[in-house]
Amino acid sequence: MKPESRKDKPGKALELLLSPVDNGQLASLCGVLDENLRQIETALDVSIARRGERFTLRGESAQTARASEALQHFYALAKNTLSVDDIQLGLIELLNRPVRHIASATGASPALLTRKSELHGRTPRQVEYLKAIQEHDITFGTGPAGTGKTYLAVASAVDAFERELVQRIVLTRPAVEAGERLGFLPGDLAQKVDPYLRPLYDALYDLMGFERVGKLFERGAIEIAPLAYMRGRTLNHAFIILDEAQNTTPEQMKMFLTRIGIGAKAVVTGDVTQIDLQRGQKSGLIEARQILQEVRGIAFTEFLKEDVVRHPLVARIVSAYEAHTAAQEAREAARTAERHAHPAAGHGGGDVHK
């Protein structure tokens, strides 16, 4: 089948004329080789054709209207160079604009004291997540990749540390794919665990700077602690992050949660659709959600594909996998119902009396 080109998109065309005309702004809006326009096309499922300042948008009417709003919004910002990141993050905010405006008006989006002054929740659930972390001692953040679970948890830890609400930051993660095998990796403890904790390191470097993070590691103000080495400890006045918690066993999860000491705050993050435990092994994250749902003082935020703040295709990938899983479950349910409806099928034809 011939792949669909940008001009093959079905739907009534919407014409848009950007003014006042400024060739520099138009170039910034479109990006190198129209890369910014492709980001808008992908995110909003439309096609965009351009001739000078005239744009033709094709697709579903609701989507072309959104694309028109996006183009006008980004054109106003295009006096400065617009990167692909600017476009992707801006699209997330535009798609969540109604709730974001309500949240901002009520002061509901917490301000975080980090090196990135513009950091804030970009979707309603991200705002909810940040508030939950500030208002509860233990917070669970679950959902698909790219929703900001880990990054916002680290940002909240940095914020608490900078405000002197905690004395140290502890990062932990089950160093496993299917069972903890730290002994197979070369080097000392830090070197063994380093590959598994890299996403947490990257977030820290981004939010505090490489040199400062290095000095804080030397002082012990930031600590790496593989989950297997947490047993027997009590963590006081610390902000603790357990990342990739879907790969904990129930015993490990209980052990971790009971390490929380005086003046401590913990955030548990994970994606229950990406469990790497051995087949048949129950996830401690799934069990914890079931057991602790009604416990006062513990907050839960469940992110959805709409909260993905990565490449626009990530949300579509998540949707495709969700649809595939739902279809598989529906087929399995139909087969089970069929077996129950005809329990004697394939078992012979009746009783034989001697």
Side-chain angles (χ1 to χ4, degrees), residues 18-32:
L18 293 178
S19 62
V21 178
D22 184 303
N23 290 330
Q25 281 183 250
L26 284 170
S28 178
L29 169 65
C30 298
V32 178

Side-chain angles (χ1 to χ4, degrees), residues 50-340:
R50 180 177 80 93
R51 185 181 293 270
E53 71 277 16
R54 297 179 181 276
F55 291 77
T56 302
L57 315 177
R58 287 187 172 85
E60 298 295 331
S61 58
Q63 295 303 92
T64 55
R66 281 181 165 182
S68 174
E69 178 187 6
L71 286 169
Q72 294 175 74
H73 171 74
F74 289 125
Y75 186 63
L77 300 177
K79 293 177 181 179
N80 300 312
T81 302
L82 290 176
S83 67
V84 170
D85 286 351
D86 293 330
I87 296 295
Q88 292 180 356
L89 293 175
L91 286 167
I92 293 293
E93 293 197 324
L94 282 174
L95 293 173
N96 290 279
R97 174 176 278 179
V99 183
R100 284 272 304 130
H101 280 187
I102 294 171
S104 299
T106 58
S109 185
L112 298 177
L113 189 59
T114 72
R115 195 174 69 156
K116 303 190 75 169
S117 59
E118 77 281 5
L119 183 63
H120 58 268
R122 296 184 180 274
T123 74
R125 273 173 290 270
Q126 286 189 348
V127 173
E128 172 194 325
Y129 182 53
L130 290 173
K131 288 184 63 182
I133 291 173
Q134 290 191 351
E135 297 172 2
H136 297 80
D137 289 337
I138 298 178
T139 302
F140 285 78
T142 58
T147 50
K149 305 182 300 295
T150 299
Y151 191 86
L152 292 178
V154 175
S156 296
V158 171
D159 175 73
F161 182 80
E162 298 290 14
R163 296 179 191 275
E164 299 184 351
L165 300 176
V166 296
Q167 296 173 3
R168 57 180 169 154
I169 298 172
V170 178
L171 311 174
T172 183
R173 195 178 191 188
V176 299
E177 290 185 359
E180 297 197 359
R181 301 193 179 103
L182 293 178
F184 292 162
L185 296 173
D188 59 21
L189 175 61
Q191 292 170 324
K192 288 174 185 288
V193 180
D194 185 80
Y196 298 96
L197 294 173
R198 180 53 51 189
L200 300 175
Y201 282 126
D202 290 342
L204 278 173
Y205 294 146
D206 194 33
L207 294 164
M208 300 182 84
F210 188 86
E211 290 186 7
R212 181 140 192 263
V213 170
K215 291 178 181 178
L216 291 174
F217 268 117
E218 291 176 4
R219 283 172 37 197
I222 298 179
E223 177 187 353
I224 55 169
L227 190 58
Y229 287 65
M230 293 282 284
R231 193 174 302 278
R233 302 183 60 186
T234 300
L235 299 170
N236 296 319
H237 307 292
F239 196 114
I240 314 138
I241 298 172
L242 171 57
D243 193 32
E244 297 290 341
Q246 75 275 6
N247 290 328
T248 62
T249 65
E251 294 78 16
Q252 288 174 326
M253 178 62 75
K254 181 180 178 182
M255 178 271 292
F256 170 78
L257 293 173
T258 54
R259 300 306 95 202
I260 311 303
I262 302 299
K265 188 180 287 283
V267 178
V268 179
T269 69
D271 179 0
V272 296
T273 68
Q274 297 190 35
I275 297 173
D276 296 319
L277 295 170
Q278 295 179 357
R279 187 178 298 275
Q281 174 67 65
K282 189 172 184 179
S283 168
L285 178 58
I286 293 177
E287 183 180 84
R289 289 197 308 178
Q290 296 168 346
I291 294 174
L292 304 176
Q293 194 70 48
E294 303 301 324
V295 175
R296 185 176 178 182
I298 299 179
F300 292 84
T301 299
E302 179 70 33
F303 291 99
L304 303 176
K305 61 180 179 294
E306 291 82 5
D307 300 297
V308 172
V309 186
R310 285 187 182 172
H311 192 287
L313 281 176
V314 174
R316 292 193 186 182
I317 291 169
V318 172
S319 296
Y321 272 97
E322 287 180 352
H324 177 71
T325 300
Q328 281 187 321
E329 291 175 349
R331 286 194 295 269
E332 183 60 32
R335 284 195 291 266
T336 301
E338 180 69 18
R339 286 195 295 269
H340 289 166

